[in-house]
């Protein structure tokens, strides 16, 4: 479809993407802001999801660059996890086009509630680096693959799932976990984006404006993570997890969320 881009529409798209970029870089869930905006301007669901993935790549890439520049992430340590999460996300994106993700839409809200409870009722979790429970090799061959596949297949809450995995399995602090989660989330976003582009559903004029907003918003959110760490990450993860849960349940039962 052709979108007539006015200054007013461009401002709305840019602002929504920038706010989503801040939220996404801290805890994930920025799509809760951007996807309804994309649908409201007349994009089909397929176009909205494809265009949203484009601007999400801009945000996750921006956040990843920031965390890398601050020394919170070493790409060498994540090499295998990046490769496996990319491949599994690509497989998830291909599979979701052939089957109904009914079971996941039923299960994911309960998993997200579990994440929210985990961070609410374990106040010392993630404050500092703690004991590592599994090796990075095992993490890459399990959590990175599973969460990467989930992001390609469905997506909501991916950032929170990655953060929880880094905290609970590798013993990372919340700040380090968020930084590493964003790098893997960027990887899975890129894998999904490639297949959306091949599907021809991208609305480039809209995505081009939003990717700039996402990039700037993600840089701001990443700086907040670096400065404030656990003070901002923990409550944001709880809020995002519960919000995504409500959104999924509303969609599941045909209720209005916005």
């Amino acid at each position: 479809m052709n979108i007539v881009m006015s200054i007013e529409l461009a401002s709305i798209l840019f602002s929504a993407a920038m706010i989503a970029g801040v939220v996404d870089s801290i805890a994930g869930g920025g799509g809760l802001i951007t996807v309804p905006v994309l649908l409201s301007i007349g994009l089909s669901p397929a176009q909205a999801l494809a265009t949203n993935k484009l601007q999400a790549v801009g945000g996750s890439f921006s956040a990843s660059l920031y965390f890398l520049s601050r020394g919170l992430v070493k790409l060498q340590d994540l090499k295998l996890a990046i490769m496996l999460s990319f491949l599994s996300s690509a497989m998830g994106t291909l599979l979701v086009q052939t089957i109904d993700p009914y079971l996941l839409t039923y299960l994911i809200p309960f998993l997200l509630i579990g994440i929210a409870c985990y961070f609410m009722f374990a106040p010392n979790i993630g404050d500092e680096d703690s004991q590592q429970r599994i090796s990075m090799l095992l993490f890459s061959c399990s959590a990175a693959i599973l969460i990467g596949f989930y992001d390609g297949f469905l997506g909501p809450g991916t950032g929170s799932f990655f953060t929880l995995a880094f905290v609970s399995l590798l013993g990372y602090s919340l700040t380090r976990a968020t930084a590493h989660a964003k790098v893997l989330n960027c990887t899975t976003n890129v894998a999904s984006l490639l297949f959306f582009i091949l599907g021809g559903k991208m609305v480039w004029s809209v995505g081009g404006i939003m990717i700039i907003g996402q990039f700037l918003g993600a840089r701001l959110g990443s700086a907040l993570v670096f400065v404030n760490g656990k003070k901002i990450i923990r409550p944001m993860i709880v809020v995002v997890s519960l919000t995504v849960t409500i959104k999924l349940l509303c969609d599941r039962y045909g209720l209005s969320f916005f």
Side-chain angles (χ1 to χ4, degrees):
M1 65 174 295
N2 293 322
I3 296 290
V4 179
M5 191 60 65
S6 63
I7 294 178
E8 292 80 4
L9 178 57
S11 299
I12 291 172
L13 294 172
F14 179 87
S15 299
M18 188 169 183
I19 295 170
V22 174
V23 174
D24 229 11
S25 63
I26 298 171
L32 289 173
I33 299 171
T34 52
V35 171
V37 170
L38 291 169
L39 291 172
S40 72
I41 66 172
L43 270 62
S44 69
Q47 290 174 323
L49 291 174
T51 306
N52 180 67
K53 188 60 71 172
L54 172 63
Q55 58 95 36
V57 165
S60 57
F61 181 70
S62 173
S64 297
L65 284 181
Y66 182 89
F67 290 133
L68 285 166
S69 70
R70 293 299 185 273
L72 288 175
V73 180
K74 295 181 180 178
L75 286 180
Q76 183 66 27
D77 297 338
L78 282 179
K79 185 166 57 176
L80 181 59
I82 288 172
M83 181 183 69
L84 294 178
S85 62
F86 181 94
L87 293 174
S88 60
S89 178
M91 288 188 291
T93 304
L94 288 173
L95 186 60
V96 75
Q97 299 177 52
T98 62
I99 67 173
D100 185 356
Y102 171 84
L103 182 59
L104 274 181
T105 60
Y106 181 79
L107 291 176
I108 294 306
F110 297 99
L111 295 177
L112 289 170
I113 290 174
I115 290 177
C117 292
Y118 181 84
F119 284 106
M120 278 193 296
F121 300 115
N124 295 322
I125 293 294
D127 288 354
E128 304 290 342
D129 286 350
S130 58
Q131 183 178 358
Q132 183 173 330
R133 292 175 173 81
I134 64 174
S135 66
M136 178 59 78
L137 174 61
L138 183 55
F139 178 91
S140 301
C141 295
S142 56
I145 290 177
L146 290 174
I147 300 173
F149 178 84
Y150 166 74
D151 192 31
F153 190 76
L154 196 59
T158 297
S160 297
F161 285 128
F162 270 131
T163 299
L164 176 63
F166 277 110
V167 169
S168 60
L169 298 178
L170 295 180
Y172 287 9
S173 67
L174 271 175
T175 301
R176 285 188 69 207
T178 300
H180 285 73
K182 190 50 59 180
V183 172
L184 291 190
N185 203 178
C186 179
T187 301
T188 58
N189 280 340
V190 170
S192 292
L193 176 63
L194 292 176
F195 286 96
F196 276 126
I197 291 175
L198 291 174
K201 300 297 184 181
M202 194 69 62
V203 182
W204 292 101
S205 59
V206 173
I209 291 173
M210 296 185 78
I211 198 172
I212 299 172
Q214 262 275 0
F215 190 94
L216 296 175
R219 180 55 60 98
L220 174 59
S222 301
L224 291 174
V225 168
F226 186 76
V227 173
N228 294 299
K230 64 182 182 182
K231 294 180 180 178
I232 191 171
I233 300 171
R234 186 191 304 277
M236 186 67 80
I237 287 178
V238 172
V239 170
V240 168
S241 296
L242 293 178
T243 304
V244 173
T245 297
I246 295 171
K247 173 66 167 60
L248 290 174
L249 290 175
C250 286
D251 291 346
R252 176 75 180 81
Y253 295 104
L255 303 174
S256 176
F257 180 73
F258 292 98

